[in-house]
Amino acid sequence: MIRGTFMSMTAKELAKKLGVSQAAVSLAFNGKPGISEETRQRILAAADEHQVHHTVRKQSNAVIDVVCYKKHGMVVGETPFFSALMEGIFTSASALNCTVHISYVYGDNGLGEAISENSVGLILIATEMTDKEDIEPFLRLNKPMVVLDALFRYRNFNCVTIDNQKGAYDATRCMIDHGHRRIGHLKSSVTIRNFIEREDGFLAAIADAPGCTSMT
């Protein structure tokens, strides 16, 4: 069912006007759960009023599994970074008319139960993965997979991550360029790949600047 004939307002503008999130607008347009029926009808009515072109889709049985890997559970948690990450996943999955199923696993314990029967793919939040062996149980699932917040080089799957080493290098170089010669690096007692890569970038910048010393 197509509602409206042309677009005079974007979905983003509609969300701002109604004081709701873009994810809520997407859920309303795609007939997905996650918002109240009152909110859904208010969004659809406003979309008609402002002639926002959209399609109300029937809910699909397809599921995207989001697995949060925990080795110690001291990094992955309710932080602004992970909240924004999950909102992006939900918004994109909604646009594809897929349901998101979230689970948490320690190592590979409970991995079988974490994968849905109707799963079409896996998003693995691998922040706490530190060894290449950590990824092996997930590869054996034979599911389309995207790994977030960790990089496994020379493996046949897609990774989306931060360039930790370059970021730390550039930040340290900025301090050096402003005349600082004794530069500290605050470390964590918890080890994850991100922290190791940032320290590598910091030390590389110090090594490239004669006369600079590190305080770690």
Side-chain angles (χ1 to χ4, degrees):
M1 175 181 178
I2 305 297
R3 305 173 69 94
T5 56
F6 62 92
M7 182 181 292
S8 60
M9 178 184 289
T10 67
K12 181 178 180 180
E13 291 168 338
L14 180 66
K16 183 176 181 181
K17 180 177 181 63
L18 296 177
V20 299
S21 68
Q22 293 181 58
V25 172
S26 180
L27 291 172
F29 286 178
N30 288 286
K32 303 292 287 296
I35 56 174
S36 68
E37 187 59 29
E38 180 182 358
T39 298
R40 186 188 313 279
Q41 294 305 320
R42 183 163 69 93
I43 291 171
L44 294 178
D48 282 342
E49 179 184 352
H50 297 286
Q51 298 176 308
V52 179
H53 186 150
H54 63 283
T55 302
V56 178
R57 302 180 185 179
K58 294 182 179 180
Q59 187 171 350
S60 167
N61 290 326
V63 175
I64 295 176
D65 284 305
V66 177
V67 177
C68 298
Y69 176 92
K70 293 194 175 189
K71 178 166 284 190
H72 40 64
M74 299 178 68
V75 177
V76 177
E78 296 299 325
T79 66
F81 171 79
F82 288 106
S83 295
L85 182 67
M86 294 309 304
E87 182 174 357
I89 291 173
F90 272 104
T91 300
S92 299
S94 179
L96 296 171
N97 202 26
C98 290
T99 300
V100 174
H101 174 248
I102 304 175
S103 57
Y104 297 82
V105 300
Y106 281 82
D108 59 355
N109 292 331
L111 181 55
E113 292 77 8
I115 305 304
S116 306
E117 182 179 350
N118 296 325
S119 175
V120 296
L122 170 66
I123 297 174
L124 173 60
I125 301 177
T127 304
E128 294 189 6
M129 284 189 171
T130 54
D131 305 309
K132 61 182 181 180
E133 291 79 11
D134 294 338
I135 197 74
E136 295 300 330
F138 296 88
L139 298 179
R140 290 194 289 270
L141 294 173
N142 292 319
K143 289 280 185 182
M145 180 172 69
V146 175
V147 176
L148 301 185
D149 208 26
L151 177 62
F152 293 85
R153 300 182 188 277
Y154 317 119
R155 304 305 296 267
N156 190 28
F157 52 82
N158 294 316
C159 298
V160 180
T161 188
I162 301 166
D163 191 343
N164 291 288
Q165 190 168 8
K166 181 67 162 52
Y169 183 95
D170 288 348
T172 308
R173 281 297 321 180
C174 180
M175 299 189 73
I176 293 169
D177 292 344
H178 281 78
H180 301 286
R181 289 297 176 265
R182 296 184 70 234
I183 303 171
H185 177 248
L186 185 62
K187 299 169 64 174
S188 171
S189 59
V190 177
T191 300
I192 62 172
R193 281 174 176 251
N194 290 346
F195 298 162
I196 295 170
E197 292 167 1
R198 290 169 195 172
E199 183 176 11
D200 289 344
F202 166 76
L203 293 175
I206 295 295
D208 286 348
C212 283
T213 57
S214 63
M215 299 172 1
T216 58

